[in-house]
Amino acid sequence: MTLAQAERAALVETLRGTGPDAPTLCDGWTTRDLLAHLIVRERRLDAAPGIMVKPLSGYTERVRAGVAERDFDALLTQLASGPPIYSPFFLIDRVANLAEMFVHHEDVLRGAVQADSDWTPRTLSPELEKGLVTPVKSVGKMTLRSSPATVVLRTPDGTELTSGGHGPRVTVTGPVGELLLFAFGRAPVTVAFDGDAEAVASVRSAPRGF
């Protein structure tokens, strides 16, 4: 089983436990909405482009809303089975879906967590942490390029994974999984900021993600 498959299976089990109406970190989406998004992404070739292409997003959302009305358990079965053979993700699941499954799994796990609350993220295996390094580098390079400071993503051992933006340097330090969530604009995340106070404040409040 690949890391992407393992994280998919873990996400499915978490969704079974939360049910269809739990909150997520995706604004306005319940777990049912998030599940429908994942199904559309892998199985509706006519609608999936609108996930990334804004002019097509209206159609994508209508399709996603329709999918969300289906039986929750049936949708879970589809997600658990992985991308169908006709999906562009069928051959690249290992590469393209690890970050997707991880981030959305955390969207569910952290959906009811308040950003300023006392909470502890799950402990990731060394294998999963290693597997998430490449997504941190690629995603961070894209989402940090417009940052109001030069943001450097660094692991606790001092390894700098990627950077982006312009201006004074702000170092964001945390485990690989937390850095990926930060790069995607998720909160809460357990990272530490180092740099000029004004620059840090601007980075913390700046939008990230796609």
Side-chain angles (χ1 to χ4, degrees):
M1 179 180 288
T2 68
L3 290 172
Q5 289 169 337
E7 195 61 16
R8 180 188 296 268
L11 169 58
V12 168
E13 286 309 301
T14 296
L15 286 168
R16 288 193 196 282
T18 61
D21 301 315
T24 74
L25 293 186
C26 300
D27 287 344
W29 278 6
T30 64
T31 42
R32 177 186 292 279
D33 295 315
L34 178 54
L35 177 55
H37 158 77
L38 291 168
I39 297 300
V40 169
R41 176 178 175 271
E42 291 188 333
R43 294 173 175 268
R44 287 295 303 265
L45 305 189
D46 60 321
I51 294 173
M52 297 297 292
V53 182
K54 191 172 182 178
L56 304 177
S57 62
Y59 175 66
T60 300
E61 176 56 23
R62 290 193 297 274
V63 172
R64 190 207 60 76
V67 171
E69 294 178 358
R70 299 177 188 171
D71 179 74
F72 187 73
D73 288 335
L75 293 177
L76 282 176
T77 297
Q78 284 191 318
L79 180 62
S81 67
I85 194 170
Y86 63 79
S87 172
F89 294 102
F90 180 76
L91 294 177
I92 59 172
D93 178 66
R94 178 194 300 267
V95 175
N97 277 334
L98 175 57
E100 182 80 6
M101 297 301 151
F102 172 79
V103 171
H104 284 318
H105 191 188
E106 293 298 327
D107 285 336
V108 177
L109 291 171
R110 306 181 190 208
V113 174
Q114 298 299 316
D116 58 352
S117 65
D118 183 18
W119 65 284
T120 303
R122 63 175 167 143
T123 300
L124 306 185
S125 69
E127 293 78 15
L128 181 53
E129 289 242 350
K130 182 178 179 180
L132 292 174
V133 168
T134 296
V136 168
K137 293 179 178 180
S138 58
V139 172
K141 190 172 293 294
M142 290 185 288
T143 64
L144 298 175
R145 60 189 173 190
S146 299
S147 293
T150 300
V151 179
V152 179
L153 302 185
R154 184 177 68 183
T155 58
D157 66 2
T159 302
E160 294 185 359
L161 299 181
T162 192
S163 63
H166 304 279
R169 177 184 171 111
V170 172
T171 302
V172 181
T173 302
V176 175
E178 299 300 301
L179 293 177
L180 181 60
L181 291 165
F182 173 82
F184 268 103
R186 298 311 203 259
V189 291
T190 54
V191 295
F193 296 85
D194 183 52
D196 174 79
E198 185 175 343
V200 168
S202 68
V203 168
R204 292 174 69 103
S205 62
R208 294 180 301 281
F210 297 98

